[in-house]
Amino acid sequence: MIELRTPAEIEKMQVAGIFVGEVLTELAARATVGMNLLKLDQIAHDMIRARGAESCYIDYHPSFGASPFGKVLCTSVNDAVLHGLPHDYRLADGDMISLDFAASVDGWVSDSAITVIVGTPRPEDARLIDTTTRALDAGIAAAQPGGRLGDISAAIAAVALADGYTINTDFGGHSVGRTMHGDLHLPNNGRPGRGVHLKPGIVIAIEPWFLETTDKIVTDKDGWTLRSADGSRGAHMEHTVAITADGPLVLSARS
């Protein structure tokens, strides 16, 4: 069932979104050469505790996860692109890291992700991040009342395909509310004019993610981290977005 949020509820969700944005801004700034992934997770944990928020990840155990996640942050480095389980690894110059974070504040959830380059950038990594960022922007712009879910998917795909990337549709966006994952699934490829009608009150996480030279993924031995099948790098961008009568409203915007 797709739940429609009232304007008052969307305001409460924006409070959670502001917090999630603050955490990701801090983590992106701290993702420097020598930083340990476990330390990044601890920083996020400390910020959750200080805010009186709740993690959406630590007890998360869907069917595709080997066990409860056990951390509050996803840290996907280089050929890892989704669900990266923090472990004892220090970031090196030239690494690319995707930080995915979701939290509940006063019972309302926001979910967001960002990919950054550590130290010296590789041109191909910067290009992949740029494409993924523009795909997110295109998806948000297509999230218009009166439209269809497929409009968002098609807008995301158009950017990726124009830049020569292929698209995996196993994982994508989703509706957000009292829980992190609602019933609505938003693939990163689709046909415009198809799918669920976009009504004011729908809140979705729009999250394009692409790999440099493949659309195939494999699960790491940790049972969580998803990596490219060919070792190429990946990028992941995400915002929680509300459909309003005036158009899309990004709830997790970062300063």
CSV table of all heavy atoms in Angstrom, one decimal, residues 36-42 69-76 83-89 222 225:
chain,number,residue,atom,x,y,z
A,36,ASN,N,39.7,5.5,8.9
A,36,ASN,CA,39.2,4.1,9.0
A,36,ASN,C,37.7,4.1,8.8
A,36,ASN,O,37.0,4.9,9.3
A,36,ASN,CB,39.6,3.5,10.3
A,36,ASN,CG,39.5,2.0,10.4
A,36,ASN,OD1,38.4,1.4,10.1
A,36,ASN,ND2,40.6,1.3,10.6
A,37,LEU,N,37.2,3.1,8.0
A,37,LEU,CA,35.8,3.0,7.8
A,37,LEU,C,35.0,2.8,9.1
A,37,LEU,O,33.9,3.3,9.3
A,37,LEU,CB,35.5,1.8,6.9
A,37,LEU,CG,36.1,1.9,5.5
A,37,LEU,CD1,35.6,0.7,4.7
A,37,LEU,CD2,35.8,3.2,4.8
A,38,LEU,N,35.6,2.1,10.1
A,38,LEU,CA,35.0,1.9,11.4
A,38,LEU,C,34.9,3.2,12.1
A,38,LEU,O,33.9,3.4,12.9
A,38,LEU,CB,35.8,0.9,12.2
A,38,LEU,CG,35.7,-0.6,11.6
A,38,LEU,CD1,36.6,-1.5,12.5
A,38,LEU,CD2,34.3,-1.1,11.6
A,39,LYS,N,35.8,4.1,11.9
A,39,LYS,CA,35.8,5.4,12.6
A,39,LYS,C,34.6,6.2,12.0
A,39,LYS,O,33.9,6.9,12.7
A,39,LYS,CB,37.1,6.1,12.4
A,39,LYS,CG,37.1,7.6,13.0
A,39,LYS,CD,36.8,7.6,14.5
A,39,LYS,CE,37.0,9.0,15.1
A,39,LYS,NZ,36.7,9.0,16.5
A,40,LEU,N,34.5,6.2,10.6
A,40,LEU,CA,33.3,6.9,10.0
A,40,LEU,C,32.0,6.4,10.6
A,40,LEU,O,31.1,7.2,10.9
A,40,LEU,CB,33.4,6.7,8.5
A,40,LEU,CG,34.5,7.4,7.7
A,40,LEU,CD1,34.5,7.0,6.3
A,40,LEU,CD2,34.3,8.9,7.8
A,41,ASP,N,31.9,5.1,10.7
A,41,ASP,CA,30.7,4.5,11.3
A,41,ASP,C,30.5,5.0,12.7
A,41,ASP,O,29.4,5.3,13.1
A,41,ASP,CB,30.7,3.0,11.3
A,41,ASP,CG,29.5,2.4,11.8
A,41,ASP,OD1,28.4,2.4,11.1
A,41,ASP,OD2,29.5,1.8,12.9
A,42,GLN,N,31.6,5.1,13.5
A,42,GLN,CA,31.5,5.6,14.9
A,42,GLN,C,31.0,7.1,14.9
A,42,GLN,O,30.2,7.5,15.8
A,42,GLN,CB,32.8,5.4,15.6
A,42,GLN,CG,32.8,5.8,17.1
A,42,GLN,CD,31.8,4.9,17.9
A,42,GLN,OE1,31.9,3.7,17.8
A,42,GLN,NE2,30.8,5.5,18.5
A,69,PHE,N,22.5,-6.1,9.9
A,69,PHE,CA,23.6,-5.3,9.4
A,69,PHE,C,24.7,-4.9,10.5
A,69,PHE,O,25.9,-5.0,10.2
A,69,PHE,CB,23.1,-4.0,8.7
A,69,PHE,CG,24.1,-3.3,7.9
A,69,PHE,CD1,24.6,-3.7,6.7
A,69,PHE,CD2,24.6,-2.0,8.4
A,69,PHE,CE1,25.5,-3.0,6.0
A,69,PHE,CE2,25.6,-1.3,7.6
A,69,PHE,CZ,26.0,-1.8,6.4
A,70,GLY,N,24.2,-4.5,11.6
A,70,GLY,CA,25.1,-4.3,12.7
A,70,GLY,C,25.9,-3.0,12.8
A,70,GLY,O,26.6,-2.7,13.8
A,71,LYS,N,25.8,-2.2,11.8
A,71,LYS,CA,26.4,-0.9,11.7
A,71,LYS,C,25.4,0.2,11.4
A,71,LYS,O,24.2,-0.2,11.0
A,71,LYS,CB,27.6,-0.8,10.7
A,71,LYS,CG,28.6,-1.9,10.9
A,71,LYS,CD,29.4,-1.7,12.2
A,71,LYS,CE,30.5,-2.7,12.3
A,71,LYS,NZ,31.2,-2.6,13.6
A,72,VAL,N,25.7,1.5,11.5
A,72,VAL,CA,24.7,2.5,11.2
A,72,VAL,C,25.0,3.2,9.9
A,72,VAL,O,24.2,4.1,9.5
A,72,VAL,CB,24.7,3.6,12.4
A,72,VAL,CG1,24.4,2.9,13.7
A,72,VAL,CG2,26.0,4.4,12.4
A,73,LEU,N,26.0,2.8,9.2
A,73,LEU,CA,26.4,3.5,7.9
A,73,LEU,C,26.9,2.5,6.9
A,73,LEU,O,27.5,1.5,7.3
A,73,LEU,CB,27.6,4.4,8.3
A,73,LEU,CG,28.2,5.2,7.1
A,73,LEU,CD1,27.3,6.2,6.5
A,73,LEU,CD2,29.5,5.8,7.6
A,74,CYS,N,26.5,2.7,5.6
A,74,CYS,CA,27.1,1.9,4.5
A,74,CYS,C,28.3,2.6,4.0
A,74,CYS,O,28.2,3.8,3.6
A,74,CYS,CB,26.0,1.7,3.4
A,74,CYS,SG,24.6,0.6,3.9
A,75,THR,N,29.4,1.9,3.9
A,75,THR,CA,30.6,2.5,3.3
A,75,THR,C,31.1,1.6,2.2
A,75,THR,O,31.7,0.5,2.4
A,75,THR,CB,31.7,2.6,4.4
A,75,THR,OG1,31.9,1.3,5.0
A,75,THR,CG2,31.4,3.6,5.5
A,76,SER,N,30.8,2.0,1.0
A,76,SER,CA,31.2,1.2,-0.2
A,76,SER,C,32.3,1.8,-0.9
A,76,SER,O,32.2,2.9,-1.5
A,76,SER,CB,29.9,1.1,-1.1
A,76,SER,OG,28.8,0.6,-0.5
A,83,HIS,N,25.5,-1.1,0.0
A,83,HIS,CA,25.4,-1.9,1.2
A,83,HIS,C,26.8,-2.3,1.8
A,83,HIS,O,27.0,-3.3,2.5
A,83,HIS,CB,24.7,-3.3,1.0
A,83,HIS,CG,23.3,-3.1,0.4
A,83,HIS,ND1,22.7,-4.1,-0.3
A,83,HIS,CD2,22.5,-2.0,0.3
A,83,HIS,CE1,21.5,-3.6,-0.8
A,83,HIS,NE2,21.4,-2.3,-0.4
A,84,GLY,N,27.8,-1.4,1.6
A,84,GLY,CA,29.1,-1.7,2.1
A,84,GLY,C,29.2,-1.8,3.6
A,84,GLY,O,28.9,-0.8,4.3
A,85,LEU,N,29.6,-2.9,4.1
A,85,LEU,CA,29.6,-3.1,5.6
A,85,LEU,C,30.9,-2.5,6.1
A,85,LEU,O,32.0,-2.9,5.7
A,85,LEU,CB,29.5,-4.6,5.9
A,85,LEU,CG,29.4,-5.0,7.4
A,85,LEU,CD1,28.1,-4.4,8.0
A,85,LEU,CD2,29.5,-6.5,7.5
A,86,PRO,N,30.9,-1.5,7.0
A,86,PRO,CA,32.1,-0.9,7.5
A,86,PRO,C,33.0,-2.0,8.1
A,86,PRO,O,32.6,-2.9,8.9
A,86,PRO,CB,31.7,0.1,8.5
A,86,PRO,CG,30.3,0.4,8.1
A,86,PRO,CD,29.7,-0.8,7.5
A,87,HIS,N,34.3,-1.9,7.8
A,87,HIS,CA,35.3,-2.9,8.4
A,87,HIS,C,36.6,-2.2,8.6
A,87,HIS,O,36.7,-1.0,8.3
A,87,HIS,CB,35.5,-4.1,7.4
A,87,HIS,CG,35.9,-3.7,6.1
A,87,HIS,ND1,35.0,-3.1,5.1
A,87,HIS,CD2,37.1,-3.8,5.4
A,87,HIS,CE1,35.7,-2.9,4.0
A,87,HIS,NE2,37.0,-3.3,4.2
A,88,ASP,N,37.6,-2.9,9.1
A,88,ASP,CA,38.9,-2.3,9.4
A,88,ASP,C,39.7,-2.0,8.1
A,88,ASP,O,40.5,-2.8,7.7
A,88,ASP,CB,39.7,-3.2,10.4
A,88,ASP,CG,40.9,-2.5,10.9
A,88,ASP,OD1,41.1,-1.3,10.7
A,88,ASP,OD2,41.8,-3.3,11.4
A,89,TYR,N,39.4,-0.9,7.5
A,89,TYR,CA,40.1,-0.4,6.3
A,89,TYR,C,40.4,1.1,6.4
A,89,TYR,O,39.4,1.8,6.7
A,89,TYR,CB,39.3,-0.8,5.1
A,89,TYR,CG,39.9,-0.2,3.8
A,89,TYR,CD1,41.0,-0.9,3.2
A,89,TYR,CD2,39.5,0.9,3.2
A,89,TYR,CE1,41.6,-0.4,2.0
A,89,TYR,CE2,40.1,1.5,2.1
A,89,TYR,CZ,41.1,0.8,1.5
A,89,TYR,OH,41.7,1.3,0.3
A,222,ASP,N,31.3,-10.9,3.1
A,222,ASP,CA,30.7,-10.4,4.4
A,222,ASP,C,29.2,-10.6,4.4
A,222,ASP,O,28.5,-10.3,5.4
A,222,ASP,CB,31.1,-9.0,4.7
A,222,ASP,CG,30.6,-8.0,3.7
A,222,ASP,OD1,29.6,-8.3,2.9
A,222,ASP,OD2,31.1,-6.8,3.6
A,225,THR,N,28.0,-6.5,1.4
A,225,THR,CA,28.6,-5.6,0.4
A,225,THR,C,28.4,-6.1,-1.0
A,225,THR,O,28.7,-7.2,-1.4
A,225,THR,CB,30.1,-5.4,0.7
A,225,THR,OG1,30.3,-4.9,2.0
A,225,THR,CG2,30.7,-4.3,-0.3
